[in-house]
């Protein structure tokens, strides 16, 4: 960190929080551990102006499972200097928790956040068309590139790197068919302007973004949060954590065990398959391509077993 930025942070801490800085240690490009002159530890994160309204919104509706920043002398959660925004919290030395325990806790805290912030909204065909056109174009291009690569593999002698691709290609084709079916159902619901549940979503759920403080779990790092469908949170959560031994099938199906969530559930499945397909990339290294293709296929197969081979009610065609 350059001297100018260090002095700027020090002055801001005194101005907004009456914290005299003794030491500062970068954690990431935008986060820092601070030590004050009386040896108290703090956490500082550079952020954007929009996060201020998000914290006040959640506070006003009584959401308690979010770790709120320290209020500054202006009674605001976010401070600024020359269009640079940041917030400060106490620095928490979290006790190491098993990944399966933490993953389950993350799901329940996301669900708690969503349940406290339900907003009934009518689906908007105009906005949805823009989004689905973008996704459709991305998928069309990706499937064409996958097919082209598979044809190249088929034209060459079999080897240890071509077998995983040829053996698992059928899973990609099945995913393509399922994406088409799901999109048709989703678009049908959108055209009908169905009323669905929107929520305040974290939009970046990971095991790094939940803290346990004296037995209480808190969600942190809400910088990317927004009002949207909870499907996005659960899709990202599932993809990031499905290597951990947790019964995600039961967690997700229990959450969506209501006709009010049929659209959200279809969109959850659609997002999962979309994200997995977009993870397929090809390089000049056959070994890398084979490993990537096989990993995606394995994940799609697991997802199929969990969510496509059950009797859960979905949105109507």
């Amino acid at each position: 960190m350059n001297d100018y930025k260090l002095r700027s942070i020090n002055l801001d801490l005194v101005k907004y929080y009456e914290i005299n800085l003794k030491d500062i240690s970068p954690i990431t490009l935008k986060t820092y551990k601070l030590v004050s002159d009386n040896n108290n530890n703090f956490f500082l994160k550079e952020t954007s102006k929009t996060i201020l309204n998000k914290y006040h919104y959640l506070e006003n509706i009584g959401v308690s499972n979010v770790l709120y920043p320290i209020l500054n002398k202006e009674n605001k959660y976010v401070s600024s200097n020359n269009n640079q925004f940041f917030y400060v919290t106490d620095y928490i030395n979290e006790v190491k928790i098993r990944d399966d325990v933490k993953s389950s806790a993350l799901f329940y805290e996301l669900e708690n956040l969503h349940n406290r912030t339900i907003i009934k909204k009518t689906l908007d065909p105009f906005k949805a068309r823009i989004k689905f056109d973008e996704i459709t174009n991305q998928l069309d291009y990706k499937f064409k590139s996958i097919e082209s690569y598979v044809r190249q593999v088929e034209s060459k002698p079999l080897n240890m790197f071509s077998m995983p691709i040829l053996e698992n290609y059928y899973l990609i084709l099945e995913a393509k068919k399922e994406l088409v079916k799901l999109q048709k159902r989703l678009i049908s619901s959108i055209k009908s302007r169905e009323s669905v549940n929107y929520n305040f979503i974290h939009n970046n759920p990971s095991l790094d973004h939940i803290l346990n403080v004296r037995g209480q779990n808190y969600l942190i790092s809400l910088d990317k949060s927004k009002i949207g469908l909870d499907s996005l949170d659960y899709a990202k959560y599932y993809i990031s954590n499905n290597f951990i031994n947790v019964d995600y099938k039961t967690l997700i199906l229990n959450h969506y065990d209501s006709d009010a969530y049929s659209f959200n559930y279809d969109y959850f499945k659609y997002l999962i398959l979309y994200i997995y397909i977009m993870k397929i990339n090809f390089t000049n290294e056959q070994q890398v391509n084979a490993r990537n293709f096989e990993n995606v296929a394995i994940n799609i197969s697991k997802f199929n077993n969990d969510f496509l081979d059950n009797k859960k009610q979905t949105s109507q065609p």
Side-chain angles (χ1 to χ4, degrees):
M1 180 188 305
N2 60 51
D3 291 340
Y4 173 78
K5 189 168 186 179
L6 180 59
R7 287 195 302 271
S8 178
I9 289 178
N10 198 4
L11 290 173
D12 289 339
L13 289 171
V14 174
K15 174 183 176 182
Y16 289 109
Y17 303 95
E18 298 183 344
I19 296 174
N20 290 296
L21 191 62
K22 181 173 77 172
D23 187 36
I24 180 168
S25 303
I27 301 173
T28 67
L29 289 175
K30 293 187 176 183
T31 61
Y32 308 88
K33 179 182 180 182
L34 313 175
V35 181
S36 68
D37 59 355
N38 55 0
N39 292 320
N40 289 323
N41 295 326
F42 299 94
F43 172 85
L44 182 147
K45 183 172 184 179
E46 298 178 23
T47 186
S48 64
K49 184 179 181 179
T50 58
I51 191 70
L52 173 61
N53 293 332
K54 297 173 184 178
Y55 280 122
H56 284 304
Y57 166 72
L58 294 175
E59 180 187 42
N60 289 337
I61 62 175
V63 172
S64 59
N65 68 329
V66 164
L67 187 65
Y68 293 94
I70 298 171
L71 286 168
N72 63 25
K73 292 170 67 175
E74 297 177 350
N75 208 36
K76 296 179 179 179
Y77 285 121
V78 178
S79 305
S80 64
N81 180 17
N82 296 325
N83 275 336
Q84 297 295 315
F85 298 89
F86 66 93
Y87 59 81
V88 175
T89 69
D90 291 320
Y91 187 87
I92 298 170
N93 290 305
E94 188 184 29
V95 177
K96 176 65 177 176
I97 301 175
R98 285 174 38 155
D99 283 350
D100 54 351
V101 175
K102 202 166 188 179
S103 181
S104 295
L106 176 58
F107 177 86
Y108 288 119
E109 296 310 326
L110 289 172
E111 189 174 46
N112 184 11
L113 175 66
H114 299 155
N115 289 341
R116 292 297 303 274
T117 59
I118 294 175
I119 304 172
K120 277 287 186 182
K121 297 181 69 173
T122 302
L123 292 168
D124 186 331
F126 177 74
K127 291 182 179 179
R129 179 177 179 178
I130 296 174
K131 184 63 177 177
F132 276 110
D133 282 350
E134 177 187 352
I135 292 177
T136 299
N137 289 336
Q138 291 174 350
L139 286 172
D140 284 346
Y141 179 82
K142 180 63 70 172
F143 280 122
K144 287 177 182 176
S145 66
I146 294 172
E147 181 181 4
S148 176
Y149 186 81
V150 171
R151 296 295 170 250
Q152 292 179 36
V153 171
E154 287 178 329
S155 67
K156 299 176 182 178
L158 288 177
N159 59 45
M160 62 185 297
F161 301 130
S162 62
M163 287 299 295
I165 293 174
L166 298 178
E167 287 178 348
N168 290 292
Y169 183 47
Y170 79 96
L171 287 166
I172 308 304
L173 295 178
E174 287 182 356
K176 183 179 181 179
K177 292 178 182 178
E178 188 63 30
L179 280 164
V180 170
K181 288 195 298 183
L182 288 168
Q183 184 164 317
K184 285 181 178 179
R185 287 208 298 263
L186 292 169
I187 289 177
S188 175
S189 297
I190 293 167
K191 287 181 176 179
S192 299
R193 295 181 179 271
E194 290 183 5
S195 177
V196 300
N197 289 333
Y198 280 73
N199 316 80
F200 186 93
I201 61 173
H202 188 285
N203 203 25
N204 192 21
S206 76
L207 297 190
D208 293 331
H209 294 159
I210 182 170
L211 286 177
N212 185 278
V213 184
R214 294 183 290 276
Q216 177 65 47
N217 293 316
Y218 295 95
L219 297 171
I220 63 172
S221 296
L222 300 178
D223 305 73
K224 296 182 179 180
S225 59
K226 63 179 183 178
I227 300 296
L229 295 169
D230 64 2
S231 318
L232 185 58
D233 263 354
Y234 295 129
K236 291 181 176 180
Y237 164 80
Y238 176 82
I239 288 173
S240 298
N241 296 286
N242 70 354
F243 65 94
I244 302 171
N245 186 12
V246 171
D247 185 1
Y248 297 106
K249 177 179 179 178
T250 298
L251 291 176
I252 297 294
L253 292 182
N254 283 347
H255 173 75
Y256 286 131
D257 189 23
S258 166
D259 289 344
Y261 282 104
S262 59
F263 181 88
N264 301 58
Y265 180 57
D266 272 349
Y267 193 48
F268 160 79
K269 293 184 290 184
Y270 184 84
L271 286 172
I272 294 279
L273 292 175
Y274 162 71
I275 293 171
Y276 277 147
I277 293 300
M278 297 305 294
K279 283 179 175 288
I280 298 177
N281 293 297
F282 300 114
T283 70
N284 293 326
E285 297 291 332
Q286 289 186 355
Q287 182 178 356
V288 174
N289 294 341
R291 186 185 305 118
N292 169 253
F293 198 94
E294 186 173 33
N295 286 341
V296 169
I298 289 172
N299 283 322
I300 289 176
S301 179
K302 183 179 184 303
F303 171 76
N304 290 346
N305 291 335
D306 283 346
F307 298 109
L308 298 188
D309 298 332
N310 66 78
K311 304 301 182 181
K312 170 71 179 71
Q313 178 66 42
T314 58
S315 55
Q316 296 301 311

